[in-house]
Every structure is written in C-alpha cells, then in structure tokens.
Amino acid sequence: MVTLQGLNTLSAKLAKTQSMPVVFIGHGNPMNAIEENRFNQSWSQLGQALPRPQAILMISAHWVSKGVSLVDNSAKPKTIHDFYGFPEALSAQRYPAKGDPVLAQQLTELLSEQQVQTDNSWGLDHGAWSVLKWMYPAADVPVFQLSIDVSKDLSWHFALGRTLSALRKRGVLIIGSGNVVHNLAALKPSQQPYEWAQEFDAFFAKRLEQRQFSELLNPAAMGGLMRKANPSIEHYIPAITVAGASSKQDHLSVVCQGFDLSAISMRSFVFHQI
C-alpha cells in the first residue's frame, strides 16, 4: 500500500490551497464501514489532512439513474442501508449529517445544460456514509449527493467533472466513491488479487498519473481487460468524474491501494494544489 506522504506535510500544503481538493475513495466491501483496517484508517487520515470544506458533494456508485442526473436536496438526508446479508451492527449505522438544499439548487443551475433535477427521495447510501463516517466522524459538514446517469458514456461523465470543478473554489469538497476494479462475480475470500485485476489497476494508475485521461474513457478500446475489471460501469464512473474535476495544476497523491476479496481495487486518490 502507498500511503499519503507524511500526514503533517500534506496537511500544511493543503492548508494553503485556494481550491478544494477533489477525492476518489475505493469504498469496497460494506463491512469497511465498521471493521477497522488499513483502508479506512487511510480515509480517516485523509479527512484530518484536508482543508475544512463548506459542504461535500458525494458521487456514489450506489445512486444510479437513467436518462437524467438527480441531486439530493434533502435538508436531513436519511442513511440508506442498500445491502443485505450483513450483520445487524452494519444496518444500525447512522450518519446524521445535514443536507444543503440551497447548494443543491445552485448545482442544478450550474448543470443546466446537463438538465439535472432535484430529488429528495434518496439520502446517503453506503457508498457515501461508509466513507464519510471515517473522514468526518462528527457528521458536522453538510452533504448532498449527485446520482450517476448510466445512460451516458464516460466522456460525458468526464466533462461533467470539468463543470463540477467550479465548486472547488466555493469550498465544496467533491468526493467520488466507487472502485477502479469491481467484479462481484469473481469475489473470493482472499486478499490475493487476480492478475487481470492487478493489470487493470496498474493501467488505470499509470494513465491517471500521466493525465492520459482519454485512454480511460473508451471501454471498447480497453477491451476484455476492462470487461473483466468492470462488468458494469457504475463503480468506475466516479473515478472518471473526479479526474475530470482535476486541473493541470493539481498534484496527485495516492491515499491507499490494494485489493479486497481479490476482485475489488481499493485504490483511493486525491488531486490537490501545492
């Protein structure tokens, strides 16, 4: 695992930034919400290192829409337990952060060309709260969520990130939550990843570092390796939106990397100015 290069050093650098960082978290197994491990400990450290946000915009793989993007304008987003077969202790979790209806409405105006609509039927799914409970355990930062329109291609989601980047100068922390590699059919009780999982994760990491984003936006060009790594696309999309929200002036720091259950990449990263 590659961790942030010195929490205190990074904290000092981030404290001077005029633009909020933009973050991608590989959230993995829902049990990461309640079982301490090296992944969620790195999320906790990241939360301490980041400058204090005015609000958080979450883009989680677990709020999917088709033909429209929705932004949650709930004043008090409910905690959604969108899983089954897990211990009761997981279902008992609550993340009582406030929403930000005003900012949600302003986001629909910013994304007017994308025809984003407000919605108050969602809340915070486990792709959001399982990460936020480690990053901001006091739940004292307003949070609102943007759905993933899976009818749009990756280039559209990358361009969406470009538009969302305007929020960075308004104190909004954009967090994408998904997984770079996510193949539920291939899961096994092992931390030893498949070769194809390692290969795709490394492919993604290299292109991300070199800002060769165009190579990450064409699933057909990535061929069978992409189909193995992501049989469905919703967990990959938040990473692409986060990349789109970054700028050439940003530095890329790896928060953590590794694999869970052999077929889920836990790669997490942050773009930030120094």
Side-chain angles (χ1 to χ4, degrees):
M1 178 179 70
V2 178
T3 60
L4 290 169
Q5 299 299 309
L7 177 59
N8 292 334
T9 300
L10 185 64
S11 296
K13 290 178 179 178
L14 291 176
K16 299 176 183 178
T17 185
Q18 299 301 308
S19 180
M20 286 298 296
V22 57
V23 174
F24 175 78
I25 300 293
H27 65 249
N29 186 340
M31 291 298 290
N32 289 326
I34 59 175
E35 293 182 345
E36 289 195 29
N37 55 49
R38 61 191 179 99
F39 302 121
N40 51 40
Q41 287 305 298
S42 71
W43 308 342
S44 179
Q45 291 177 346
L46 177 62
Q48 296 171 49
L50 291 170
R52 178 77 175 178
Q54 298 297 313
I56 298 169
L57 173 62
M58 289 294 310
I59 305 171
S60 165
H62 292 278
W63 190 16
V64 171
S65 55
K66 290 186 178 181
V68 65
S69 291
L70 303 171
V71 58
D72 178 40
N73 64 349
S74 305
K76 296 181 179 180
K78 59 188 175 184
T79 304
I80 301 172
H81 302 92
D82 49 332
F83 44 72
Y84 59 90
F86 289 91
E88 179 60 30
L90 187 59
S91 297
Q93 293 289 304
R94 296 292 183 272
Y95 192 77
K98 294 180 180 179
D100 197 325
V102 173
L103 194 51
Q105 180 59 44
Q106 292 174 351
L107 183 59
T108 66
E109 297 166 8
L110 177 66
L111 300 177
S112 59
E113 292 186 5
Q114 289 82 5
Q115 300 180 328
V116 171
Q117 301 176 16
T118 54
D119 177 274
N120 63 6
S121 65
W122 197 249
L124 299 174
D125 56 59
H126 84 268
W129 62 260
S130 70
V131 169
L132 291 172
K133 69 156 288 186
W134 294 103
M135 292 182 68
Y136 299 98
D140 55 356
V141 180
V143 183
F144 62 115
Q145 207 168 318
L146 180 66
S147 75
I148 294 174
D149 182 355
V150 292
S151 71
K152 302 297 195 299
D153 64 18
L154 292 176
S155 294
W156 186 92
H157 289 283
F158 183 83
L160 177 70
R162 283 275 188 256
T163 305
L164 291 174
S165 67
L167 297 175
R168 297 178 61 184
K169 292 189 179 296
R170 297 178 57 184
V172 177
L173 176 63
I174 301 169
I175 303 179
S177 178
N179 296 99
V180 171
V181 176
H182 187 264
N183 186 333
L184 294 183
L187 298 185
K188 60 182 180 180
S190 169
Q191 298 305 308
Q192 181 60 39
Y194 295 98
E195 288 186 8
W196 51 261
Q198 289 180 301
E199 184 178 351
F200 186 83
D201 187 63
F203 167 84
F204 178 90
K206 182 177 180 180
R207 271 64 182 181
L208 191 74
E209 181 178 3
Q210 297 176 349
R211 299 190 65 83
Q212 296 176 339
F213 298 139
S214 62
E215 296 189 33
L216 301 176
L217 302 181
N218 189 341
M222 290 184 275
L225 186 61
M226 176 62 168
R227 290 191 293 273
K228 281 186 177 180
N230 292 284
S232 60
I233 203 72
E234 75 283 348
H235 276 74
Y236 182 76
I237 287 174
I240 294 302
T241 304
V242 164
S246 71
S247 74
K248 293 181 180 179
Q249 290 72 43
D250 283 328
H251 179 75
L252 174 65
S253 289
V254 178
V255 178
C256 62
Q257 62 182 358
F259 289 84
D260 192 14
L261 300 174
S262 299
I264 298 177
S265 168
M266 298 299 291
R267 178 173 299 278
S268 301
F269 53 87
V270 53
F271 286 103
H272 58 94
Q273 295 181 9
I274 56 175

